[in-house]
């Protein structure tokens, strides 16, 4: 170091800007070459290091046993056995018995070992003699880059032709952190807090299901009387790009899961899933039935082949002594890093050719307009529009085998979907304020490097006649309806300005029986206000002794002149359903055969899990004019199946339309 280095500074900087910006950094006036990436391979373990972080994995399994950073020897839960610290795992079945399995490699391989990058692989290969094992090959990759505070992991999973049937229920990567270090959790700008300890759940009281525990004797007395439930911290996939924890060490350390893209997840932008929770646990869930049910289980038939690259996700570490008083500093820094990772997608560094690089991807553009009034076209503003494997209208929310590519339309309905892996897709969209699902008539064929201009597309949402009345807002959630405060026996954690914390509360379903102990909800069109008078979930009534009854809501409305020879339409959009059957009757509560029934639907469990939405259902119900009368009419909505407290539906939106035009 010294004079020569200083003299050549300009030259070197110029060179680095061109080619190796990562190699050198200016520290004051001295130029320092940063540490290179190293692999230290022992018999039973391998350590990747870059002078910032050391990550140790077991050989040949690929379990992450230690992460040292910021002067801390191991950020992972050292009280846990090595198998239970950092791992990929999967829940699967053969239609009956469920099994959980960690992805354990049976062979270890160094894929790349240079100054700037290490990439290692842990493979597991199925063969037909292992008939009791999961019929899936996996290749878990871990990547460390120079000058990068953290590491990447991705998985290549594959089934070959002729392999047996299997159902995959859940597939995720999990990190469990030191519980004495990490107390502060952050999953969004508003949802950040000091969390309970795992022991607080053990000393607490289990409530109506095992995930929900009343903290009766917590270590931190401020939390006494609160409920802990990992489902409080669920988030829509579209909103889950970074979450994690901040330690209370000096200096504080942040441990963050950054999910730079949605393409490898299932169920589209509105699929909800867990993030981080008491443990301290940090997850990235790629496949699950959460807030969706059985439809999101990947069902492979006998012989069905499959291949998918899942990830990479980035485990980001940061530290800042100023965060002692304000852990949000590390959250803000993690968000900055997340934006950088999102901008860098698709990554150029993963060595596997299965991970498709940017020059092998295509782009599509267009503008989506809505024709809902038959006179003027309006832009489909702030909608979600995306490519998913070919299917029926709305099928993207249940699709779980392929890749999906989603983006938000702008105020003019214009959209650009970048970085699409080549293939044949359908184009799907949902538009806030508009019912139903858009699907483009033609298949979209994306080839490497293609740039497709679709021009102006028009969505004609379901509509048969003029609006006579409507309840709610068509936005696929029940959030605009009346959401009660939780039962008084539970203390509520208060977040600043957080919309989600209104419904992410334990026991809201119980409040229906409190508010409507004998008579069910009645909504008078014209005088009732949906934000006050329409309960957010149509649930069963608790009549004591563990017994529940079905409930019938009434919508009362006036029609001056009914054309009894015409057909009317009730547009009924549901935001969630759990083992429910919703029956609809017009002006005759007693008619045995309902005028319409959904049949038994739903398994998203969004009522118990504070989801405010699960999967979306839209029913366009034809109403013969002779079922309606001049004057006062009543629609009876009966949720007919009542065996437990979590059953029911959430409405998204209801609209009565006049005679067919
Ligand atoms: C630490 O946080 C403070 C306050 O936000 C900021 O000014 C400073 O640049 C941060 N330091 C590092 C090393 O990021
Ligand atoms: C929006 O899309 C339309 C149709 O593709 C195009 O004509 C128009 O220029 C776009 N507007 C903007 C602001 O990009
Ligand atoms: C509660 O249910 C049990 C079992 O069905 C029955 O024996 C008991 O009489 C019921 N109690 C009340 C108060 O209804
Ligand atoms: C409703 O009132 C109009 C106008 O008075 C009348 O023509 C029509 O027959 C009535 N319809 C029914 C179903 O009674
Ligand atoms: C109303 O619907 C019925 C059955 O769907 C159909 O047969 C009839 O033609 C419709 N009537 C009108 C006026 O559209
Ligand atoms: C419609 O209403 C009129 C007047 O109330 C009645 O005479 C006629 O039979 C009704 N038609 C049908 C199809 O119900």
């Amino acid at each position: 170091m010294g004079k020569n280095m200083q003299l050549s500074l300009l030259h070197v900087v110029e060179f680095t800007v061109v080619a190796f910006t990562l190699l050198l950094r200016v520290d004051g006036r001295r130029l320092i070459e940063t540490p290179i990436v190293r692999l230290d391979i022992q018999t039973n373990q391998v350590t990747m290091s870059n002078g910032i972080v050391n990550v140790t994995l077991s050989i040949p399994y690929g379990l992450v046993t230690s992460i040292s950073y910021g002067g801390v020897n191991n950020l992972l839960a050292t009280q846990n056995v090595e198998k239970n610290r950092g791992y990929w795992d999967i829940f699967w079945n053969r239609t009956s018995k469920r099994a959980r399995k960690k992805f354990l490699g049976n062979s270890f391989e160094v894929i790349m070992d240079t100054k700037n990058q290490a990439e290692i692989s842990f493979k597991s290969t199925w063969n037909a003699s292992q008939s009791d094992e999961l019929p899936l090959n996996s290749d878990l990759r871990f990547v460390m880059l120079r000058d990068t505070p953290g590491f990447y992991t991705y998985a290549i999973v594959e089934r070959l032709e002729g392999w047996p049937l299997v159902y995959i229920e859940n597939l995720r990567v999990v990190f469990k952190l030191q519980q004495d270090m990490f107390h502060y959790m952050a999953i969004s700008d508003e949802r950040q807090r000091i969390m309970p300890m795992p022991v607080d759940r053990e000393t607490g009281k289990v409530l109506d299901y095992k995930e929900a525990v009343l903290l009766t004797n917590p270590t931190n007395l401020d939390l006494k009387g609160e409920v802990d439930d990992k489902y409080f911290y669920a988030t829509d996939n579209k909103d889950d790009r970074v979450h994690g924890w901040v330690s209370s060490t000096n200096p504080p350390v942040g441990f963050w899961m950054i999910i730079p893209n949605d393409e490898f997840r299932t169920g589209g932008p509105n699929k909800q899933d867990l993030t981080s929770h008491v443990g301290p646990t940090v997850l990235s869930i790629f496949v699950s039935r959460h807030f969706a049910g059985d439809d999101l289980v990947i069902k492979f038939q006998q012989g069905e082949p499959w291949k998918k690259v899942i990830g990479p996700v980035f485990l980001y570490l940061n530290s800042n002594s100023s965060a002692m008083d304000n852990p949000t500093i590390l959250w803000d820094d993690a968000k900055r890093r997340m934006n950088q990772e999102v901008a860098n997608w698709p990554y150029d560094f993963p060595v596997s050719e299965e991970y498709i690089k940017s020059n092998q991807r295509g782009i599509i553009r267009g503008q989506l307009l809505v024709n809902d009034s038959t006179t003027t076209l309006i832009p489909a503003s702030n909608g979600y529009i995306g490519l998913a494997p070919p299917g029926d209208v709305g099928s993207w929310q249940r699709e779980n085998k392929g890749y999906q590519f989603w983006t938000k339309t702008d105020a003019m309905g214009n959209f650009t979907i970048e970085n699409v892996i080549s293939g044949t897709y359908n184009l799907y969209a949902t538009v806030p304020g508009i019912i139903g699902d858009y699907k483009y008539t033609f298949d979209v064929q994306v080839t490497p490097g293609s740039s497709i201009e679709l021009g102006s597309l028009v969505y004609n949402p379901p509509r048969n006649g003029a609006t006579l009345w409507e309840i709610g807002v068509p936005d696929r959630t029940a959030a605009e309806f009346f959401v009660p405060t939780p039962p008084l026996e539970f203390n509520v954690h208060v977040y600043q300005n957080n919309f989600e914390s209104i419904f992410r509360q334990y026991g809201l379903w119980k409040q229906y029986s409190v508010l409507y102990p004998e008579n069910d909800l009645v909504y008078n069109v014209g005088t009732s206000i949906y934000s006050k008078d329409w309960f957010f979930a149509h649930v069963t009534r608790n009549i004591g002794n563990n017994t529940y009854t079905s409930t019938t809501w009434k919508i009362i409305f006036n029609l001056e002149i009914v054309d009894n020879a015409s057909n009317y339409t009730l547009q009924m959009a549901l935001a969630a359903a759990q083992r429910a059957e919703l029956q609809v009757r017009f002006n005759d509560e007693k008619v045995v055969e309902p005028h319409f029934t959904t049949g038994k639907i739903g398994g998203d469990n969004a009522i118990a899990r504070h989801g405010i939405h699960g999967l979306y259902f839209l029913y366009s119900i034809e109403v013969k004019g002779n079922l309606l009368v001049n004057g006062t009419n009543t629609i009876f909505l009966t949720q007919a199946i009542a065996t437990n407290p979590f059953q029911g539906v959430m409405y998204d939106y209801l609209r009565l339309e006049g005679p067919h035009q």
Side-chain angles (χ1 to χ4, degrees), residues 206-251:
V206 174
L207 298 172
D208 286 353
Y209 48 88
K210 71 178 189 326
E211 292 87 348
V213 173
L214 177 64
L215 305 176
T216 52
N217 191 20
T219 323
N220 176 350
L221 286 177
D222 291 347
L223 308 183
K224 189 166 174 159
E226 282 190 25
V227 177
D228 179 64
D229 181 348
K230 63 187 177 183
Y231 293 104
F232 288 158
Y233 307 107
T235 295
D236 282 7
N237 280 350
K238 64 180 160 55
D239 304 321
D240 179 27
R241 287 276 170 279
V242 55
H243 57 87
W245 294 77
V246 176
S247 76
S248 47
T249 50
N250 188 6

Side-chain angles (χ1 to χ4, degrees), residues 306-327:
W306 184 60
K307 185 186 283 181
K308 191 166 179 179
V309 177
I310 297 170
V313 295
F314 181 43
L315 282 305
Y316 176 58
L317 305 167
N318 59 7
S319 177
N320 187 328
S321 50
S322 309
M324 272 319 261
D325 306 318
N326 184 6

Side-chain angles (χ1 to χ4, degrees), residues 560-564 625 628-630:
E560 264 177 35
I561 302 178
V562 171
D563 176 0
N564 65 354
L628 301 172
V629 296
N630 284 356

